[in-house]
Amino acid sequence: MGRSSKDKRDAYYRMAKEQGWRARSAFKLLQLNEQFDLFKGVRRVVDLCAAPGSWSQVLSRELVQNVPASERPTIVSVDLQPMAPLEGVCTLQLDITHPDTLPIILSHFGDEPADLVVSDGAPDVTGLHDLDEYIQAQILLAAMNLAACVLRPGGTFVAKIFRGRDVSLLYSQLRLLFKHVTCAKPRSSRASSLEAFVVCQDFCPPEGFKPNLKKPMCITDYECIGDIAPFLACGDLNSPDADATYPYAVSKNSKPLDAVQPPTAPPYKKAIEMKRSAQL
């Protein structure tokens, strides 16, 4: 009950319900796009770890604006979990670490490379921070390996990251493939969370580099670690604060939580109370 009340007081949760987004995470991608102009000139997109589909919703709405039907972009969403269909989005229930996933994605692009790859994947948080950060890093590396196989030169990769103790190693791995790597924190992401997003721009792999999902790229030499990526906050300062709670009333038909009266006891409970009174 407490969790439900907290969610209802969260501004982005309520805005997502009102605007028809599947999850509040839609605002994170929108705010990242405001800062980095991610969608400019994008024709082919891959959304990894896409369920429940809020980022795919953003892509389908933003990329089709003022675009003729004959020039509609191709959006492919991939996740192990089933996802409800979205108009203009091809949903695939596949494993992003499996080699057979790559040719299936490319077949939807006519074997052309993608302009943008995004990933909002995250593990089920256990509360053990070292374990959560490690699993998240593995998800990010899996997404990065697939992105290296499908991205065109100069393409962009955006993924969720947990800013933990060994985050510098991840930045170094990403810098091997991209000229510009930035750690961004959207305003819709709670400041109390370690969550952030790496925005990797201008895909430029080393000469002779051949990505292969059967042999994922990995770095174990800690001496190659360079400086940390620049950190940037995204979102209008006038937008709601993700860590604040707001009154529940958002329309004329809704009531503040304090004004809601608790439900009366069910009839069977009243009968039990009357029986106990009679016995006394």
Side-chain angles (χ1 to χ4, degrees), residues 144-214:
M144 181 186 70
N145 279 296
L146 184 56
C149 296
V150 301
L151 270 179
R152 64 168 176 80
T156 303
F157 173 61
V158 180
K160 180 179 290 186
I161 189 172
F162 286 173
R163 293 175 294 145
R165 182 176 54 187
D166 299 323
V167 71
S168 296
L169 177 61
L170 291 173
Y171 294 149
S172 297
Q173 292 172 314
L174 294 167
R175 281 200 183 96
L176 292 176
L177 300 176
F178 298 89
K179 288 185 178 180
H180 306 286
V181 177
T182 306
C183 181
K185 181 79 169 178
R187 187 166 174 80
S188 53
S189 177
R190 296 183 177 93
S192 56
S193 171
L194 290 177
E195 171 197 74
F197 294 87
V198 283
V199 180
C200 308
Q201 298 170 296
D202 200 354
F203 179 57
C204 184
E207 185 176 354
F209 173 72
K210 295 181 179 180
N212 188 346
L213 291 184
K214 295 182 179 179

Side-chain angles (χ1 to χ4, degrees), residues 75-117:
I75 304 170
V76 176
S77 298
V78 185
D79 199 290
L80 273 175
Q81 302 297 326
M83 193 172 77
L86 281 168
E87 185 178 357
V89 178
C90 175
T91 58
L92 303 175
Q93 190 174 353
L94 298 171
D95 184 352
I96 65 173
T97 65
H98 199 284
D100 292 342
T101 300
L102 176 60
I104 297 176
I105 293 175
L106 291 176
S107 66
H108 289 278
F109 294 148
D111 292 328
E112 293 290 330
D115 302 308
L116 174 66
V117 177

Side-chain angles (χ1 to χ4, degrees), residues 29-48:
L29 183 58
L30 289 169
Q31 291 171 352
L32 288 170
N33 179 56
E34 290 175 3
Q35 183 68 44
F36 296 95
D37 201 12
L38 301 173
F39 302 152
K40 183 178 180 180
V42 170
R43 310 301 309 155
R44 293 176 291 274
V45 192
V46 183
D47 183 9
L48 304 177

